[in-house]
Amino acid sequence: MFDNTHAHITTWVIAIILFFVAVGLHNAGKKKGMKVVHMILRLFYLLIILTGALLFWKHQGINPALYGIKGLVGIWVIGMFEMVLVRMNKGKSTKVFWIQLLIALIIVLYLGLRLPLGLNFLG
């Protein structure tokens, strides 16, 4: 049977890897390669949102408020991925967006691991 939790984790791990590949390609001056990776990353944004929404609806009886907050912070992470890459491509400053990305990533990982569907080694 298809396990939404593993699909969700797999999609965000791949997305994080693709994000850093895109950043690396940009820093290496390979803008064409960065654009390809960026487009693939956008597909993974959709997969992350889809698998996260499926998990939320499947387990909505388990602390829906905190899972809702986790979902919103997850959208914030995706937004910061996008802002960093777009602003890098335009040659604009990304410092504020890197800081927001780090904060949002820490919050979403903490909530994901702390809440009942997570590994709960932080509990």
Side-chain angles (χ1 to χ4, degrees), residues 65-79 104 107-108 111:
L66 279 178
Y67 278 111
I69 291 169
K70 180 185 176 282
L72 291 174
V73 176
I75 299 293
W76 182 21
V77 169
I78 290 171
I107 293 169
V108 81
L111 286 173

Side-chain angles (χ1 to χ4, degrees), residues 69-83 96-97 99-105 107-108:
I69 291 169
K70 180 185 176 282
L72 291 174
V73 176
I75 299 293
W76 182 21
V77 169
I78 290 171
M80 291 307 97
F81 277 172
E82 191 65 13
M83 289 302 293
V96 172
F97 299 105
I99 293 167
Q100 286 187 56
L101 174 60
L102 182 62
I103 292 167
L105 199 55
I107 293 169
V108 81

Side-chain angles (χ1 to χ4, degrees), residues 52-118:
L54 289 172
L55 281 171
F56 182 77
W57 285 315
K58 182 178 179 181
H59 302 286
Q60 59 184 312
I62 306 171
N63 208 341
L66 279 178
Y67 278 111
I69 291 169
K70 180 185 176 282
L72 291 174
V73 176
I75 299 293
W76 182 21
V77 169
I78 290 171
M80 291 307 97
F81 277 172
E82 191 65 13
M83 289 302 293
V84 166
L85 292 176
V86 167
R87 289 182 69 90
M88 282 178 75
N89 203 28
K90 291 182 176 182
K92 294 183 177 179
S93 173
T94 58
K95 183 178 181 180
V96 172
F97 299 105
W98 276 106
I99 293 167
Q100 286 187 56
L101 174 60
L102 182 62
I103 292 167
L105 199 55
I106 289 169
I107 293 169
V108 81
L109 288 173
Y110 174 77
L111 286 173
L113 293 172
R114 179 71 175 93
L115 288 166
L117 291 178

